[in-house]
């Protein structure tokens, strides 16, 4: 097909559209474009339709053009509905995403508040435990001082006086002893009467028994420090491994177990009692070692001689932890022994100048005319709100600055048209889309987040808003 035949076919379609269109503006625009094409290419009506002139309005050709025009309008309407459905779905997705982000934020805030409350509760518990321990030690010191004072006072007390019956018994006993001594003296004198030796006079015997000693009061025993939350689970044997990878006794597994709720046994040695409570779940033994307990009173680690041992529930876990530390130690030794590669000087990188991407090439819109330069007032869809007899809405102005550029607001630089999508739809370099009628005037404008419906004057806008006002 030659160029002349193509132009004739295009003029025939425009004439058929002008004849079949129910819109006066669309019909006039189609007829005007057909006349321009005929003038540009020097064609007449006889060249287009032959000597018989144009066919009647009921011809098959005109019916086919009318059907094509109607199909094009339906396709454009279907694309518009699909685009609006996609925008609605995108808005719903963004709303759900915002809701999810808000819920995540509130959940994090709640967890942060819960952790802060737990920390304050732990600090209060530790503070109360320290105060209780201080009071207990003060009371123990007071009891010990009172016992010592009572013991000293009891040793300095004079022996109690004897009763009258005790004194009478003692006097009778003394008299009997005197009589016995006299009789014994007479007996010895009668036996030794020829002797010149005179028996000495017996001395009275007195009762020299000391009064019974008063028993000293036994000092009161101080209750031992016990484990808070002690249970059957606390009695399990724990296997502890040193946390220091350079420890020579890294492979040595320490066995730690509670003997009771106030003493501890290490490696089956003698049980050691608890000396004091250092904090929540931290205790000091009588040999100045410290142990740390979990919330259920199970030993988690023990400090001995400046070394810390982590404790595990089974020997297998302890051996695994020891092997991991041993492997780290061997890897560190190998790294220390590896030769150090010389550091090569690195030349400073040259600064890279950012290069702006080339601007896409623009195309002219097919429907462009003198009316395309008219400033269109476009309503942002969804912003209208009705309050009684008044209505609030948002407007934006759009207009063509050239056949391939469109601008909005007070901007003087236009946005290029880069792709024709058919049926008066064009794509811009910013990703926006614009829809025009047969005169090239802007009818609709779409962005990623908004859509606009455009009007020729304020009367048309008022009519549009009144048609969509809620019924009273």
């Amino acid at each position: 097909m030659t160029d002349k035949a193509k132009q004739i076919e295009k003029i025939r379609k425009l004439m058929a559209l002008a004849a079949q269109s129910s819109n006066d503006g669309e019909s006039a625009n189609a007829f005007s474009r057909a006349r321009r094409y005929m003038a540009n290419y020097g064609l007449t009506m006889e060249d287009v339709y032959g000597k018989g002139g144009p066919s009647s309005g009921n011809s098959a050709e005109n019916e086919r053009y009318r059907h094509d025009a109607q199909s094009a309008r339906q396709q454009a309407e279907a694309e518009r509905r699909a685009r609006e459905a996609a925008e609605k779905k995108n808005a719903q997705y963004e709303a759900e995403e915002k809701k999810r982000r808000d819920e995540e934020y509130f959940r994090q805030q709640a967890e942060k508040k819960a952790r802060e409350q737990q920390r304050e509760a732990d600090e209060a518990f530790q503070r109360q435990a320290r105060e209780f321990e201080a009071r207990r030690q003060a009371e123990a010191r007071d009891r010990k001082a009172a016992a010592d004072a009572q013991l000293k006072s009891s040793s300095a007390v004079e022996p109690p006086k004897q009763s009258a019956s005790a004194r009478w018994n003692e006097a009778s006993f003394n008299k009997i002893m005197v009589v016995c001594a006299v009789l014994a003296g007479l007996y010895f004198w009668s036996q030794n009467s020829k002797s010149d030796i005179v028996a000495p006079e017996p001395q009275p015997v007195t009762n020299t028994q000391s009064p019974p000693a008063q028993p000293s009061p036994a000092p009161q025993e101080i209750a031992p420090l016990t484990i808070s939350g002690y249970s059957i689970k606390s009695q399990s044997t724990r296997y502890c491994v040193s946390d220091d990878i350079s420890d020579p006794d890294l492979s040595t597994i320490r066995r730690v177990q509670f003997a009771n709720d106030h003493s501890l046994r290490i490696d089956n040695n003698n049980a050691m009692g608890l000396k004091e409570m250092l904090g929540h779940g931290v205790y000091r033994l009588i040999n100045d070692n410290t142990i740390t307990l979990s919330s259920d009173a199970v030993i988690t680690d023990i400090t001995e001689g400046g070394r810390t041992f982590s404790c595990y529930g089974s020997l297998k876990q302890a051996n695994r932890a020891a092997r991991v530390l041993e492997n780290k130690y061997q890897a560190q030794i190998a790294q220390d022994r590896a030769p150090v590669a010389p550091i090569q000087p690195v030349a400073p990188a040259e600064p890279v100048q950012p290069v702006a991407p080339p601007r896409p090439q623009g195309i002219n819109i097919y429907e462009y005319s003198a009316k395309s330069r008219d400033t269109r007032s476009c309503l942002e869809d969804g912003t209208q709100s009705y309050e009684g007899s008044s209505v609030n809405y948002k407007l934006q102005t759009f207009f063509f600055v050239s056949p391939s550029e469109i601008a909005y607001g007070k901007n003087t630089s236009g946005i290029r048209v880069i792709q024709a999508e058919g049926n008066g739809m064009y794509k811009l370099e910013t990703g926006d889309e614009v829809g025009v009628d047969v005169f090239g005037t802007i009818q609709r404008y779409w962005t990623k987040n908004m859509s606009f419906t455009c009007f020729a004057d304020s009367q048309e806008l008022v009519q549009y808003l009144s048609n969509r006002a809620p019924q009273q």
Side-chain angles (χ1 to χ4, degrees), residues 2 61 97 120 122 126 135 206 325 377 383 386 426 460:
T2 62
E61 184 179 3
E97 186 67 17
E120 294 177 355
D122 293 342
Q126 294 178 4
R135 290 197 302 270
T206 60
L325 295 177
S377 299
T383 60
Y386 297 90
Y426 294 91
E460 188 176 353

Side-chain angles (χ1 to χ4, degrees), residues 152-346:
K152 291 180 181 179
S153 62
S154 62
S155 62
V157 174
E158 296 180 357
K161 296 181 179 180
Q162 296 180 355
S163 62
S165 61
R167 290 194 301 271
W168 185 85
N169 291 335
E170 184 177 357
S172 299
F173 180 76
N174 292 336
K175 292 178 181 180
I176 293 172
M177 292 298 295
V178 170
V179 172
C180 291
V182 171
L183 293 178
L186 292 176
Y187 174 77
F188 283 108
W189 180 79
S190 62
Q191 293 293 332
N192 300 313
S193 59
K194 296 180 180 182
S195 176
D196 295 336
I197 303 173
V198 180
E201 185 180 356
Q203 299 293 331
V205 180
T206 60
N207 187 11
T208 59
Q209 295 181 359
S210 61
Q214 296 294 331
S216 61
Q220 298 181 2
E221 296 183 357
I222 301 176
L225 178 63
T226 59
I227 300 296
S228 177
Y230 184 81
S231 62
I232 298 178
K233 189 176 181 180
S234 306
Q235 302 175 5
S236 60
T237 302
R238 306 288 290 177
Y239 301 90
C240 305
V241 181
S242 176
D243 292 340
D244 188 3
I245 61 175
S246 60
D247 192 346
D249 297 334
L250 185 60
S251 59
T252 302
I253 308 298
R254 308 296 300 273
R255 290 175 171 81
V256 183
Q257 186 180 12
F258 278 113
N260 45 48
D261 62 346
H262 60 273
S263 61
L264 184 72
R265 183 179 290 109
I266 301 176
D267 292 337
N268 297 326
N269 295 327
N270 295 331
M272 293 177 290
L274 303 178
K275 184 177 181 181
E276 61 178 334
M277 181 178 180
L278 301 178
H280 182 63
V282 182
Y283 296 86
R284 177 177 292 172
L285 306 179
I286 58 176
N287 62 350
D288 291 335
N289 294 343
T290 59
I291 60 173
T292 303
L293 308 181
S294 62
S295 58
D296 50 358
V298 175
I299 302 172
T300 58
D301 57 71
I302 179 171
T303 303
E304 180 180 4
R307 297 182 299 172
T308 302
F309 295 81
S310 297
C311 301
Y312 302 89
S314 64
L315 182 60
K316 184 177 180 181
Q317 294 177 349
N319 288 328
R320 185 184 299 113
R323 285 194 300 270
V324 171
L325 295 177
E326 179 68 21
N327 293 336
K328 289 183 179 179
Y329 177 67
Q330 296 297 335
Q332 182 176 352
I333 292 177
Q335 184 178 1
D336 294 340
R337 293 178 179 176
V340 179
I343 300 176
Q344 299 294 336
V346 179

Side-chain angles (χ1 to χ4, degrees), residues 371-446:
K371 291 187 177 181
S372 302
R373 288 183 172 272
D374 296 343
T375 301
R376 304 281 287 179
S377 299
C378 300
L379 171 67
E380 182 178 346
D381 296 337
T383 60
Q384 59 270 24
S385 60
Y386 297 90
E387 298 178 359
S389 59
S390 63
V391 58
N392 299 324
Y393 53 87
K394 293 182 180 180
L395 286 179
Q396 181 63 274
T397 58
F398 292 90
F399 57 93
F400 278 101
V401 296
S402 70
S404 61
E405 291 182 340
I406 185 173
Y408 63 91
K410 296 182 180 180
N411 297 329
T412 57
S413 60
I415 306 172
R416 286 185 178 178
V417 180
I418 60 173
Q419 182 181 354
E421 298 178 341
N423 299 321
M425 296 290 297
Y426 294 91
K427 186 175 182 181
L428 308 180
E429 60 179 335
T430 58
D432 299 345
E433 292 179 314
V434 62
V436 299
D437 59 6
V438 294
F439 298 101
T441 56
I442 303 172
Q443 298 295 320
R444 294 296 303 275
Y445 192 93
W446 293 273

Side-chain angles (χ1 to χ4, degrees), residues 18-80:
Q20 297 294 334
S21 178
S22 59
N23 190 331
D24 295 339
E26 184 179 7
S27 177
N29 182 63
F31 185 72
S32 176
R33 290 176 60 190
R35 290 179 61 187
R36 285 203 307 270
Y37 283 130
M38 293 173 64
N40 292 337
Y41 291 95
L43 299 176
T44 62
M45 294 298 290
E46 294 181 356
D47 297 331
V48 177
Y49 294 104
K51 294 182 179 181
S55 58
S56 61
N58 296 326
S59 65
E61 184 179 3
N62 289 341
E63 182 65 22
R64 179 170 60 85
Y65 289 148
R66 188 187 63 78
H67 183 268
D68 292 343
Q70 185 178 3
S71 299
R73 293 191 187 93
Q74 293 177 356
Q75 184 179 0
E77 183 66 19
E79 291 177 357
R80 183 188 61 80

